[in-house]
Amino acid sequence: MSSAWSWFVILGTVLSLVGTLAFLLSNRSTSGQETTGHDYDGIQELDNPLPLWWVSMFIVSILFAGGYLIYYPGLGNFSGIGNWSSADQVAREQQAHEDRFAPLYARLAQLDEAELHADRQAQQVGRRLFINNCSTCHGVTGQGAFGFPNLTDDEWIWGKGFDKVKTALQNGRQAAMPGWAAALGDQGIDDVTQHVLQLAGSEHNPEAAARGASQYAMFCVACHGPEGSGNPILGAPNLANDIWLYGGSAEAIAFTLRHGRNGNMPSFARVLDPDQIHILAGYVTSLSLK
Ligand code: HEC
Ligand code: HEC
């Protein structure tokens, strides 16, 4: 802050404190009379003195403000005689956090997957990391939501296992399912939707599903496979079960086909260090075992 602004702030602050005090003292009832002397149609205004406890509290808080502004930064560029700064405090707290948790992380980073599952502290740290970083999308319990996969079941869009979870955290996951409205047309969307319902073992219209089969073979097999079992390398989900990322009703599937879907799991390589990713992968893989 330039020194002109600094003085502006200092004067503004000090004058308003002094002004408040002066205003308070000048308004104390000292006349000894019970009314202000105002009289409207026989209604008079009483002039009671402010209660002493109230006035004293006001004065004490003004004195406190003065002391505070001398000790802590608050008056323009004046840094206060206590030399306190929020940046120092954060640095001190971070250092304390580091000193406290570095040995713990170092120990947990040595454990393999099975040991991470069994270690109580690894589970606790993993759970905390999960709640802080993942729960906004995957839910506090990891059960997912529309568009965000459930991590507690045994269905893995991008493949199962500790290393796959680590890869997801390190690199993120970008799913690309194009929209098919132009290629299939309205009739085609309906037919292929019925075919997908058939693959999933859901209620469907057999004639429409049969019509959709040839279009499915032409447009969808490359990614989802002839039986709809999906492809973890591309992140193409299994369509032949009743687990849906974007809903399994005819309307939801038709919407997916028409517009495509591009689920995006962000990379955490810059947010979490390798030790944390290791511990978190142990926690996430343990969720589907419970
Ligand atoms: C901004 C939302 C978001 C956050 C935050 C997020 N994810 Fe994800 N995650 C997704 C989405 C969306 C997908 C699915 C991508 C797709 O469509 O294939 C996904 C996929 C995954 C997968 C692959 C699932 C599978 O079935 O193969 C794993 C594992 C995963 N996330 C773990 C995590 C963990 C652990 C965290 C916390 C560090 C996390 N995610 C944070 C959105 C998020
Ligand atoms: C280029 C590869 C590719 C092709 C071709 C493709 N898909 Fe997909 N499909 C994907 C991917 C990847 C996802 C996951 C999208 C996401 O996670 O956001 C997906 C998602 C879906 C879903 C949503 C599944 C769920 O769990 O909600 C359906 C339904 C689907 N595809 C059907 C089809 C049909 C039918 C065709 C052919 C018309 C097709 N896909 C063609 C890659 C493909």
Side-chain angles (χ1 to χ4, degrees):
M1 186 162 23
S2 74
S3 69
W5 279 118
S6 171
W7 278 108
F8 179 76
V9 171
I10 293 174
L11 285 177
T13 311
V14 171
L15 286 180
S16 56
L17 279 179
V18 173
T20 313
L21 190 60
F23 184 65
L24 181 71
L25 296 178
S26 71
N27 275 282
R28 293 185 67 201
S29 168
T30 49
S31 65
Q33 289 174 350
E34 288 204 346
T35 68
T36 55
H38 301 159
D39 185 348
Y40 300 101
D41 299 336
I43 298 171
Q44 293 186 319
E45 192 182 350
L46 289 176
D47 187 17
N48 287 329
L50 292 167
L52 187 64
W53 66 266
W54 192 89
V55 175
S56 342
M57 260 176 45
F58 214 111
I59 291 173
V60 166
S61 60
I62 289 174
L63 291 178
F64 176 85
Y68 185 96
L69 288 169
I70 291 170
Y71 189 81
Y72 287 109
L75 283 179
N77 287 339
F78 176 56
S79 58
I81 60 173
N83 257 328
W84 181 91
S85 85
S86 53
D88 283 350
Q89 174 149 353
V90 168
R92 268 199 311 279
E93 281 169 10
Q94 277 172 344
Q95 190 58 45
H97 186 269
E98 189 93 334
D99 293 347
R100 183 159 162 232
F101 288 108
L104 174 62
Y105 283 144
R107 179 179 82 76
L108 298 180
Q110 302 303 318
L111 304 182
D112 66 22
E113 183 188 356
E115 289 166 334
L116 285 172
H117 290 173
D119 190 287
R120 220 170 64 88
Q121 242 177 352
Q123 288 285 305
Q124 283 173 342
V125 173
R127 181 171 155 72
R128 202 148 308 153
L129 288 169
F130 189 86
I131 288 178
N132 288 343
N133 294 284
C134 323
S135 58
T136 36
C137 293
H138 292 285
V140 173
T141 56
Q143 267 162 354
F146 183 89
F148 301 112
N150 184 342
L151 304 176
T152 67
D153 60 10
D154 212 26
E155 169 94 350
W156 295 92
I157 304 171
W158 294 91
K160 180 185 164 108
F162 189 69
D163 292 334
K164 295 288 189 331
V165 173
K166 267 190 158 178
T167 310
L169 291 174
Q170 210 96 48
N171 304 343
R173 294 295 197 188
Q174 177 66 60
M177 153 94 171
W180 299 99
L184 294 174
D186 285 345
Q187 179 70 47
I189 295 277
D190 287 347
D191 293 346
V192 177
T193 296
Q194 292 303 319
H195 187 70
V196 171
L197 286 170
Q198 182 179 31
L199 289 175
S202 306
E203 216 174 289
H204 60 280
N205 171 342
E207 288 146 40
R211 281 198 302 274
S214 62
Q215 284 156 314
Y216 182 87
M218 194 181 335
F219 294 117
C220 321
V221 164
C223 295
H224 291 284
E227 313 291 328
S229 56
N231 182 345
I233 294 170
L234 299 166
N238 186 345
L239 305 177
N241 60 18
D242 205 23
I243 298 176
W244 299 96
L245 194 53
Y246 298 107
S249 66
E251 296 77 46
I253 294 172
F255 190 97
T256 296
L257 295 189
R258 212 178 280 284
H259 302 284
R261 297 285 190 185
N262 296 287
N264 178 26
M265 153 86 189
S267 157
F268 279 83
R270 295 230 208 111
V271 181
L272 302 170
D273 65 31
D275 290 354
Q276 291 173 319
I277 288 183
H278 185 81
I279 299 165
L280 198 43
Y283 177 74
V284 169
T285 47
S286 78
L287 292 175
S288 50
L289 302 175
K290 285 171 189 157

